[in-house]
Amino acid sequence: MTDEIATDLPGARALFAALQARAKAHAVALRQPPAEPTTCCGRGCNGCVWEGFYAAAEWWRQDALEMLDALEDALEGPPAAAPAAVVQPG
């Protein structure tokens, strides 16, 4: 789901939800996804507000994936050194 470009509103909403859930699982916050247009006239204009929304959604998706992939790679990196044993005086 997160590897697909959103081409409709339900797809964009699902994409946003999937990436936000992935971020929440790592206790990190993503920036807000782009706001849905409210000014479309429905005439199929060249440069429709929906074209701008889907372009912004794709930019948001790429930004979110870059951050989440880097975080997940860091978490899968080499394990931290085990703490030294504490010797109790005896």
Side-chain angles (χ1 to χ4, degrees):
M1 169 90 244
T2 59
D3 293 334
E4 299 175 20
I5 296 173
T7 57
D8 59 15
L9 186 55
R13 288 176 177 163
L15 171 71
F16 298 155
L19 287 171
Q20 288 171 325
R22 192 170 150 193
K24 186 177 181 180
H26 293 296
V28 296
L30 300 174
R31 65 183 172 85
Q32 289 294 317
E36 296 174 14
T38 60
T39 59
C40 180
C41 65
R43 293 184 292 198
C45 301
N46 185 20
C48 176
V49 294
W50 286 102
E51 292 173 16
F53 170 75
Y54 293 123
E58 174 57 14
W59 186 58
W60 184 90
R61 181 187 75 87
Q62 290 176 8
D63 189 47
L65 284 173
E66 184 178 314
M67 186 181 102
L68 291 169
D69 289 345
L71 175 66
E72 289 167 353
D73 287 346
L75 293 174
E76 292 174 3
V86 176
V87 178
Q88 296 290 331

Coordinates of all heavy atoms in Angstrom, one line a residue:
M1 N 0.8 -1.2 0.0 CA 0.0 0.0 0.0 C 0.9 1.3 0.0 O 0.6 2.2 -0.7 CB -0.9 0.0 1.2 CG -1.6 1.3 1.5 SD -3.2 1.3 0.7 CE -3.0 2.6 -0.4
T2 N 1.9 1.3 0.8 CA 2.7 2.5 0.9 C 3.7 2.7 -0.3 O 4.3 3.7 -0.4 CB 3.5 2.6 2.2 OG1 4.3 1.4 2.3 CG2 2.5 2.6 3.4
D3 N 3.8 1.7 -1.2 CA 4.6 1.8 -2.3 C 3.9 2.3 -3.6 O 4.4 2.5 -4.6 CB 5.2 0.4 -2.7 CG 6.2 0.0 -1.6 OD1 6.8 0.8 -0.9 OD2 6.4 -1.2 -1.5
E4 N 2.6 2.6 -3.4 CA 1.7 3.0 -4.5 C 1.4 4.5 -4.4 O 1.2 5.0 -3.3 CB 0.4 2.2 -4.5 CG 0.6 0.7 -4.7 CD -0.7 0.0 -4.5 OE1 -1.8 0.6 -4.7 OE2 -0.7 -1.2 -4.3
I5 N 1.4 5.1 -5.6 CA 1.1 6.5 -5.6 C -0.4 6.7 -5.6 O -1.2 5.9 -6.2 CB 1.6 7.2 -6.9 CG1 3.1 7.1 -7.0 CG2 1.1 8.6 -7.1 CD1 3.7 7.5 -8.3
A6 N -0.9 7.6 -4.7 CA -2.3 7.8 -4.6 C -2.9 8.5 -5.9 O -2.3 9.5 -6.3 CB -2.6 8.7 -3.4
T7 N -4.0 7.9 -6.4 CA -4.6 8.5 -7.6 C -6.0 8.9 -7.4 O -6.7 9.3 -8.3 CB -4.4 7.6 -8.8 OG1 -5.0 6.3 -8.5 CG2 -3.0 7.4 -9.2
D8 N -6.5 8.6 -6.2 CA -7.9 8.9 -5.8 C -8.0 9.2 -4.4 O -7.0 8.9 -3.6 CB -8.9 7.9 -6.3 CG -8.6 6.5 -5.6 OD1 -7.9 6.4 -4.6 OD2 -9.2 5.5 -6.1
L9 N -9.0 9.9 -3.9 CA -9.1 10.3 -2.5 C -9.1 9.1 -1.6 O -8.4 9.1 -0.6 CB -10.3 11.2 -2.3 CG -10.5 11.8 -0.9 CD1 -9.2 12.6 -0.5 CD2 -11.7 12.7 -0.9
P10 N -9.9 8.0 -1.8 CA -9.8 6.9 -0.9 C -8.4 6.3 -0.8 O -7.9 5.9 0.3 CB -10.8 5.9 -1.4 CG -11.8 6.7 -2.2 CD -11.0 7.8 -2.8
G11 N -7.7 6.3 -1.9 CA -6.3 5.8 -1.9 C -5.4 6.7 -1.1 O -4.5 6.2 -0.4
A12 N -5.6 8.0 -1.3 CA -4.7 8.9 -0.5 C -5.0 8.8 1.0 O -4.0 8.8 1.7 CB -5.0 10.3 -1.0
R13 N -6.3 8.7 1.3 CA -6.6 8.6 2.8 C -6.0 7.3 3.3 O -5.5 7.3 4.5 CB -8.1 8.6 3.0 CG -8.7 10.0 2.8 CD -10.2 9.9 2.9 NE -10.8 11.2 2.8 CZ -12.1 11.4 2.5 NH1 -12.9 10.4 2.3 NH2 -12.6 12.6 2.4
A14 N -6.1 6.2 2.6 CA -5.5 4.9 3.0 C -4.0 5.0 3.2 O -3.4 4.5 4.1 CB -6.0 3.8 2.1
L15 N -3.4 5.6 2.2 CA -1.9 5.8 2.2 C -1.5 6.6 3.5 O -0.6 6.2 4.2 CB -1.5 6.5 1.0 CG 0.0 7.0 0.9 CD1 0.9 5.8 0.8 CD2 0.2 8.0 -0.2
F16 N -2.2 7.7 3.7 CA -1.9 8.5 4.9 C -2.0 7.7 6.2 O -1.2 7.7 7.0 CB -2.8 9.8 4.9 CG -2.6 10.7 3.8 CD1 -3.7 11.6 3.4 CD2 -1.5 10.8 3.0 CE1 -3.6 12.5 2.4 CE2 -1.3 11.7 1.9 CZ -2.4 12.5 1.6
A17 N -3.1 7.0 6.3 CA -3.4 6.2 7.5 C -2.3 5.1 7.7 O -1.9 4.9 8.8 CB -4.8 5.6 7.4
A18 N -1.9 4.4 6.6 CA -1.0 3.4 6.7 C 0.4 3.9 7.2 O 1.0 3.3 8.0 CB -0.8 2.6 5.3
L19 N 0.8 5.0 6.6 CA 2.1 5.5 7.0 C 2.1 6.1 8.4 O 3.0 6.0 9.1 CB 2.6 6.6 6.0 CG 3.1 6.0 4.6 CD1 3.3 7.0 3.6 CD2 4.3 5.1 4.8
Q20 N 1.0 6.8 8.7 CA 0.9 7.3 10.1 C 0.8 6.2 11.1 O 1.4 6.3 12.2 CB -0.4 8.2 10.2 CG -0.1 9.5 9.5 CD -1.4 10.4 9.4 OE1 -2.5 9.9 9.2 NE2 -1.2 11.7 9.4
A21 N 0.2 5.0 10.8 CA 0.2 3.9 11.7 C 1.6 3.3 11.9 O 2.0 2.9 13.0 CB -0.8 2.8 11.2
R22 N 2.3 3.3 10.8 CA 3.7 2.8 10.8 C 4.6 3.7 11.7 O 5.4 3.2 12.5 CB 4.2 2.7 9.4 CG 5.5 2.0 9.2 CD 5.8 1.8 7.7 NE 7.2 1.8 7.5 CZ 7.8 1.9 6.3 NH1 7.1 1.9 5.2 NH2 9.1 1.8 6.2
A23 N 4.4 5.0 11.6 CA 5.1 5.9 12.4 C 4.7 5.8 13.9 O 5.6 5.8 14.7 CB 4.9 7.4 11.9
K24 N 3.4 5.7 14.1 CA 3.0 5.5 15.5 C 3.5 4.3 16.2 O 3.8 4.3 17.3 CB 1.4 5.5 15.5 CG 0.8 5.5 16.9 CD -0.7 5.5 16.9 CE -1.2 5.5 18.3 NZ -2.7 5.5 18.3
A25 N 3.7 3.2 15.4 CA 4.3 2.0 15.9 C 5.7 2.2 16.4 O 6.2 1.5 17.3 CB 4.3 0.9 14.9
H26 N 6.4 3.2 15.9 CA 7.8 3.6 16.3 C 7.8 4.8 17.2 O 8.8 5.3 17.5 CB 8.6 3.8 15.1 CG 8.9 2.7 14.2 ND1 9.6 1.5 14.6 CD2 8.5 2.4 12.9 CE1 9.7 0.7 13.7 NE2 9.0 1.1 12.6
A27 N 6.6 5.2 17.6 CA 6.5 6.4 18.5 C 7.1 7.6 17.9 O 7.7 8.4 18.7 CB 7.0 6.0 19.9
V28 N 6.9 7.8 16.6 CA 7.4 9.0 16.0 C 6.2 9.7 15.3 O 5.2 9.0 15.0 CB 8.5 8.8 15.0 CG1 9.8 8.3 15.7 CG2 8.1 7.9 13.9
A29 N 6.3 11.0 15.1 CA 5.2 11.7 14.4 C 5.7 12.2 13.1 O 6.8 12.6 12.9 CB 4.8 12.9 15.3
L30 N 4.8 12.0 12.1 CA 5.1 12.6 10.8 C 4.5 13.9 10.7 O 3.5 14.2 11.5 CB 4.5 11.7 9.7 CG 5.0 10.2 9.6 CD1 4.1 9.4 8.6 CD2 6.4 10.2 9.3
R31 N 4.9 14.8 9.8 CA 4.2 16.0 9.6 C 2.8 15.7 9.0 O 2.6 14.6 8.5 CB 5.0 16.9 8.6 CG 5.2 16.5 7.2 CD 6.0 17.4 6.4 NE 6.3 16.9 5.1 CZ 5.6 17.0 4.1 NH1 4.4 17.6 4.1 NH2 5.9 16.5 2.9
Q32 N 1.9 16.6 9.1 CA 0.6 16.4 8.7 C 0.5 16.2 7.1 O 1.3 16.9 6.4 CB -0.3 17.6 9.0 CG -0.6 17.8 10.5 CD -1.5 16.6 11.0 OE1 -2.4 16.2 10.3 NE2 -1.1 16.1 12.1
P33 N -0.3 15.3 6.7 CA -0.4 15.1 5.2 C -1.1 16.4 4.6 O -1.7 17.1 5.4 CB -1.3 13.9 5.1 CG -2.0 13.7 6.4 CD -1.1 14.3 7.4
P34 N -1.0 16.5 3.3 CA -1.7 17.7 2.7 C -3.2 17.7 2.9 O -3.8 16.6 3.0 CB -1.3 17.6 1.2 CG -0.9 16.2 1.0 CD -0.4 15.7 2.3
A35 N -3.7 18.9 3.1 CA -5.2 19.0 3.3 C -5.9 18.7 2.0 O -5.4 19.0 0.9 CB -5.5 20.4 3.7
E36 N -7.1 18.1 2.1 CA -7.9 17.8 0.9 C -8.5 19.1 0.4 O -8.9 20.0 1.1 CB -9.0 16.9 1.3 CG -8.5 15.5 1.8 CD -9.7 14.6 2.3 OE1 -10.9 14.9 2.1 OE2 -9.3 13.6 3.0
P37 N -8.5 19.2 -1.0 CA -9.0 20.4 -1.6 C -10.5 20.6 -1.3 O -11.2 19.7 -1.1 CB -8.8 20.2 -3.1 CG -7.8 19.1 -3.2 CD -7.9 18.3 -2.0
T38 N -10.9 21.9 -1.2 CA -12.3 22.2 -0.9 C -12.8 23.1 -2.0 O -14.0 23.5 -1.9 CB -12.5 22.8 0.5 OG1 -11.7 24.0 0.5 CG2 -12.1 21.9 1.6
T39 N -12.0 23.5 -3.0 CA -12.4 24.5 -3.9 C -12.6 24.0 -5.3 O -12.6 24.8 -6.3 CB -11.4 25.7 -3.9 OG1 -10.1 25.2 -4.2 CG2 -11.4 26.4 -2.5
C40 N -12.6 22.7 -5.6 CA -12.7 22.2 -6.9 C -14.1 22.6 -7.5 O -15.2 22.4 -6.9 CB -12.6 20.7 -6.9 SG -12.7 19.9 -8.5
C41 N -14.1 23.0 -8.7 CA -15.3 23.4 -9.4 C -15.9 22.3 -10.2 O -17.1 22.4 -10.6 CB -15.1 24.6 -10.3 SG -14.0 24.3 -11.7
G42 N -15.2 21.2 -10.4 CA -15.7 20.0 -11.1 C -15.7 20.1 -12.6 O -16.3 19.3 -13.3
R43 N -15.0 21.1 -13.2 CA -15.0 21.3 -14.6 C -13.8 20.7 -15.3 O -13.7 20.9 -16.5 CB -15.1 22.8 -15.0 CG -16.4 23.4 -14.6 CD -16.5 24.8 -15.0 NE -15.6 25.6 -14.2 CZ -15.6 26.9 -14.1 NH1 -16.5 27.6 -14.7 NH2 -14.7 27.6 -13.3
G44 N -13.0 20.0 -14.6 CA -11.8 19.4 -15.2 C -10.7 20.3 -15.6 O -10.1 20.2 -16.7
C45 N -10.5 21.4 -14.9 CA -9.6 22.4 -15.2 C -8.2 21.8 -15.4 O -7.8 20.9 -14.7 CB -9.5 23.5 -14.1 SG -11.1 24.3 -13.8
N46 N -7.4 22.4 -16.3 CA -6.0 22.1 -16.4 C -5.3 22.8 -15.1 O -5.5 23.9 -14.9 CB -5.4 22.7 -17.7 CG -4.0 22.3 -17.9 OD1 -3.5 21.4 -17.3 ND2 -3.3 23.1 -18.7
G47 N -4.6 21.9 -14.4 CA -4.1 22.4 -13.1 C -5.1 22.4 -12.0 O -5.0 23.3 -11.1
C48 N -6.0 21.5 -12.0 CA -7.0 21.3 -11.0 C -6.4 21.2 -9.6 O -5.3 20.7 -9.4 CB -7.8 20.1 -11.3 SG -9.1 19.7 -10.0
V49 N -7.1 21.7 -8.6 CA -6.6 21.6 -7.2 C -6.3 20.2 -6.8 O -5.5 19.9 -6.0 CB -7.6 22.3 -6.2 CG1 -7.7 23.8 -6.5 CG2 -9.0 21.6 -6.3
W50 N -7.0 19.2 -7.4 CA -6.8 17.8 -7.1 C -5.5 17.3 -7.7 O -4.8 16.5 -7.0 CB -7.9 16.9 -7.6 CG -9.1 17.1 -6.8 CD1 -10.3 17.8 -7.1 CD2 -9.3 16.5 -5.5 NE1 -11.1 17.7 -6.0 CE2 -10.6 17.0 -5.0 CE3 -8.6 15.7 -4.6 CZ2 -11.1 16.6 -3.8 CZ3 -9.1 15.4 -3.4 CH2 -10.3 15.8 -3.0
E51 N -5.0 17.9 -8.8 CA -3.7 17.5 -9.3 C -2.6 18.0 -8.3 O -1.7 17.3 -8.0 CB -3.5 18.2 -10.7 CG -4.3 17.6 -11.8 CD -4.2 18.4 -13.1 OE1 -3.2 19.2 -13.2 OE2 -5.1 18.2 -14.0
G52 N -2.8 19.2 -7.8 CA -1.9 19.7 -6.8 C -1.9 18.9 -5.5 O -0.9 18.6 -4.9
F53 N -3.1 18.4 -5.1 CA -3.2 17.6 -3.9 C -2.5 16.3 -4.1 O -1.7 15.8 -3.2 CB -4.7 17.3 -3.6 CG -4.9 16.3 -2.6 CD1 -4.7 16.6 -1.2 CD2 -5.4 15.0 -2.9 CE1 -4.9 15.6 -0.2 CE2 -5.6 14.1 -1.9 CZ -5.3 14.4 -0.6
Y54 N -2.7 15.6 -5.2 CA -2.0 14.3 -5.5 C -0.5 14.5 -5.6 O 0.2 13.6 -5.1 CB -2.6 13.6 -6.7 CG -4.0 13.2 -6.4 CD1 -5.1 13.6 -7.2 CD2 -4.4 12.4 -5.3 CE1 -6.4 13.2 -7.0 CE2 -5.7 12.1 -5.0 CZ -6.7 12.5 -5.9 OH -8.0 12.1 -5.6
A55 N 0.0 15.6 -6.2 CA 1.4 15.8 -6.2 C 1.9 16.1 -4.8 O 3.0 15.5 -4.4 CB 1.7 17.1 -7.1
A56 N 1.2 16.8 -4.0 CA 1.6 17.0 -2.6 C 1.6 15.7 -1.8 O 2.4 15.5 -0.9 CB 0.8 18.1 -1.9
A57 N 0.6 14.9 -2.1 CA 0.4 13.6 -1.4 C 1.6 12.7 -1.7 O 2.2 12.0 -0.8 CB -0.9 12.9 -1.8
E58 N 2.1 12.7 -3.0 CA 3.2 11.9 -3.4 C 4.5 12.5 -2.7 O 5.3 11.7 -2.2 CB 3.4 11.9 -4.9 CG 4.6 11.2 -5.4 CD 4.8 9.8 -4.9 OE1 3.9 9.2 -4.5 OE2 5.9 9.3 -5.1
W59 N 4.7 13.7 -2.6 CA 5.8 14.3 -1.9 C 5.8 13.9 -0.5 O 6.8 13.5 0.1 CB 5.8 15.8 -2.1 CG 7.1 16.5 -1.6 CD1 8.4 16.3 -2.0 CD2 7.1 17.5 -0.6 NE1 9.2 17.1 -1.3 CE2 8.5 17.9 -0.4 CE3 6.1 18.2 0.1 CZ2 8.9 18.8 0.5 CZ3 6.6 19.2 1.0 CH2 7.9 19.5 1.2
W60 N 4.6 14.0 0.2 CA 4.5 13.6 1.6 C 4.8 12.1 1.7 O 5.5 11.8 2.7 CB 3.1 13.9 2.0 CG 2.8 13.6 3.5 CD1 3.0 14.5 4.5 CD2 2.4 12.4 4.1 NE1 2.7 13.9 5.7 CE2 2.3 12.6 5.5 CE3 2.1 11.1 3.6 CZ2 1.9 11.6 6.3 CZ3 1.7 10.1 4.4 CH2 1.6 10.4 5.8
R61 N 4.3 11.3 0.8 CA 4.6 9.8 0.9 C 6.1 9.6 0.8 O 6.7 8.8 1.6 CB 3.9 9.1 -0.2 CG 4.1 7.6 -0.2 CD 3.5 7.0 -1.5 NE 4.4 7.2 -2.6 CZ 5.4 6.4 -3.0 NH1 5.7 5.4 -2.3 NH2 6.1 6.7 -4.1
Q62 N 6.8 10.2 -0.1 CA 8.2 10.0 -0.3 C 9.0 10.5 1.0 O 9.9 9.8 1.5 CB 8.8 10.7 -1.5 CG 8.3 10.1 -2.8 CD 8.7 10.9 -4.0 OE1 9.5 11.8 -3.9 NE2 8.2 10.5 -5.2
D63 N 8.6 11.6 1.5 CA 9.2 12.1 2.7 C 9.0 11.2 3.9 O 9.9 10.9 4.7 CB 8.7 13.5 3.0 CG 9.4 14.3 4.1 OD1 10.6 14.3 4.1 OD2 8.7 14.9 5.0
A64 N 7.8 10.7 4.1 CA 7.5 9.8 5.2 C 8.2 8.5 5.1 O 8.8 8.0 6.0 CB 6.0 9.6 5.2
L65 N 8.2 8.0 3.8 CA 8.9 6.7 3.6 C 10.4 6.8 3.9 O 11.1 5.9 4.5 CB 8.7 6.2 2.2 CG 7.4 5.5 2.0 CD1 7.2 5.2 0.5 CD2 7.2 4.3 2.8
E66 N 11.0 7.9 3.5 CA 12.4 8.2 3.7 C 12.7 8.2 5.2 O 13.7 7.6 5.7 CB 12.9 9.5 3.0 CG 14.3 9.8 3.2 CD 14.7 11.1 2.5 OE1 14.3 11.3 1.3 OE2 15.5 11.9 3.1
M67 N 11.9 8.9 5.9 CA 12.1 9.0 7.4 C 11.9 7.6 8.1 O 12.7 7.2 8.9 CB 11.2 10.0 8.0 CG 11.4 10.2 9.5 SD 10.3 11.4 10.2 CE 9.2 10.3 11.0
L68 N 10.8 6.9 7.7 CA 10.5 5.7 8.3 C 11.5 4.6 8.0 O 12.0 3.8 8.8 CB 9.1 5.2 8.0 CG 8.0 6.1 8.6 CD1 6.7 5.7 8.0 CD2 8.0 5.9 10.1
D69 N 12.0 4.6 6.7 CA 13.0 3.6 6.3 C 14.3 3.8 7.0 O 14.9 2.8 7.4 CB 13.2 3.6 4.8 CG 12.0 3.1 4.0 OD1 11.1 2.4 4.6 OD2 11.9 3.3 2.8
A70 N 14.7 5.1 7.1 CA 15.9 5.4 7.9 C 15.8 5.0 9.3 O 16.8 4.4 9.9 CB 16.3 6.8 7.7
L71 N 14.7 5.2 9.9 CA 14.5 4.8 11.3 C 14.5 3.3 11.5 O 15.2 2.8 12.4 CB 13.1 5.4 11.8 CG 12.7 5.0 13.2 CD1 13.6 5.5 14.2 CD2 11.3 5.4 13.5
E72 N 13.8 2.6 10.6 CA 13.8 1.2 10.7 C 15.2 0.5 10.4 O 15.6 -0.4 11.0 CB 12.7 0.6 9.8 CG 11.3 0.9 10.3 CD 10.2 0.7 9.3 OE1 10.5 0.4 8.1 OE2 9.1 0.8 9.7
D73 N 15.9 1.1 9.5 CA 17.3 0.7 9.2 C 18.2 0.9 10.5 O 19.0 0.0 10.8 CB 17.9 1.4 8.0 CG 17.3 1.0 6.7 OD1 16.6 -0.1 6.7 OD2 17.6 1.7 5.7
A74 N 18.0 2.0 11.1 CA 18.8 2.3 12.3 C 18.5 1.3 13.5 O 19.3 0.8 14.2 CB 18.6 3.7 12.8
L75 N 17.2 1.0 13.6 CA 16.8 0.0 14.6 C 17.2 -1.4 14.3 O 17.4 -2.2 15.3 CB 15.2 0.0 14.7 CG 14.6 1.3 15.3 CD1 13.1 1.3 15.2 CD2 15.1 1.6 16.7
E76 N 17.5 -1.7 13.1 CA 18.0 -3.0 12.7 C 19.5 -3.1 12.6 O 20.0 -4.1 12.3 CB 17.4 -3.4 11.3 CG 15.9 -3.7 11.4 CD 15.3 -3.9 10.0 OE1 16.1 -4.0 9.0 OE2 14.1 -4.0 9.9
G77 N 20.1 -2.0 13.0 CA 21.6 -1.9 12.9 C 22.2 -2.9 13.9 O 21.6 -3.7 14.6
P78 N 23.5 -2.7 14.1 CA 24.2 -3.6 15.0 C 23.7 -3.4 16.4 O 23.4 -2.3 16.8 CB 25.7 -3.2 14.9 CG 25.7 -1.8 14.2 CD 24.4 -1.7 13.5
P79 N 23.6 -4.5 17.2 CA 23.1 -4.4 18.5 C 24.0 -3.6 19.4 O 25.2 -3.6 19.2 CB 23.0 -5.9 19.0 CG 24.0 -6.6 18.1 CD 24.0 -5.9 16.8
A80 N 23.4 -3.0 20.3 CA 24.2 -2.2 21.3 C 25.0 -3.2 22.2 O 24.6 -4.3 22.4 CB 23.3 -1.3 22.2
A81 N 26.2 -2.7 22.6 CA 27.0 -3.5 23.5 C 26.2 -3.8 24.8 O 25.5 -3.0 25.3 CB 28.3 -2.8 23.8
A82 N 26.4 -5.0 25.3 CA 25.7 -5.4 26.5 C 26.4 -4.6 27.6 O 27.6 -4.4 27.6 CB 25.9 -6.9 26.7
P83 N 25.6 -4.2 28.6 CA 26.2 -3.5 29.7 C 27.1 -4.4 30.5 O 26.9 -5.6 30.6 CB 25.0 -3.1 30.6 CG 23.8 -4.0 30.1 CD 24.2 -4.4 28.7
A84 N 28.2 -3.8 31.1 CA 29.1 -4.6 31.9 C 28.4 -5.1 33.1 O 27.6 -4.4 33.7 CB 30.3 -3.7 32.2
A85 N 28.8 -6.3 33.5 CA 28.2 -6.9 34.7 C 28.7 -6.1 36.0 O 29.9 -5.7 36.0 CB 28.6 -8.3 34.9
V86 N 27.8 -5.9 36.9 CA 28.2 -5.2 38.1 C 28.5 -6.3 39.2 O 27.7 -7.2 39.4 CB 27.0 -4.4 38.6 CG1 27.3 -3.7 40.0 CG2 26.6 -3.3 37.6
V87 N 29.7 -6.2 39.7 CA 30.1 -7.1 40.7 C 29.8 -6.6 42.1 O 30.2 -5.5 42.4 CB 31.6 -7.5 40.6 CG1 32.1 -8.4 41.7 CG2 31.9 -8.0 39.2
Q88 N 29.0 -7.3 42.8 CA 28.7 -6.9 44.2 C 29.8 -7.3 45.1 O 30.3 -8.4 45.1 CB 27.4 -7.5 44.6 CG 26.2 -7.1 43.8 CD 25.7 -5.7 44.0 OE1 25.9 -5.2 45.1 NE2 25.2 -5.1 43.0
P89 N 30.2 -6.4 46.0 CA 31.2 -6.8 47.0 C 30.7 -7.9 47.9 O 29.5 -7.9 48.3 CB 31.5 -5.5 47.8 CG 30.5 -4.6 47.4 CD 29.8 -5.0 46.2
G90 N 31.5 -8.8 48.2 CA 30.9 -9.9 48.8 C 31.4 -10.4 50.1 O 31.0 -11.1 50.8

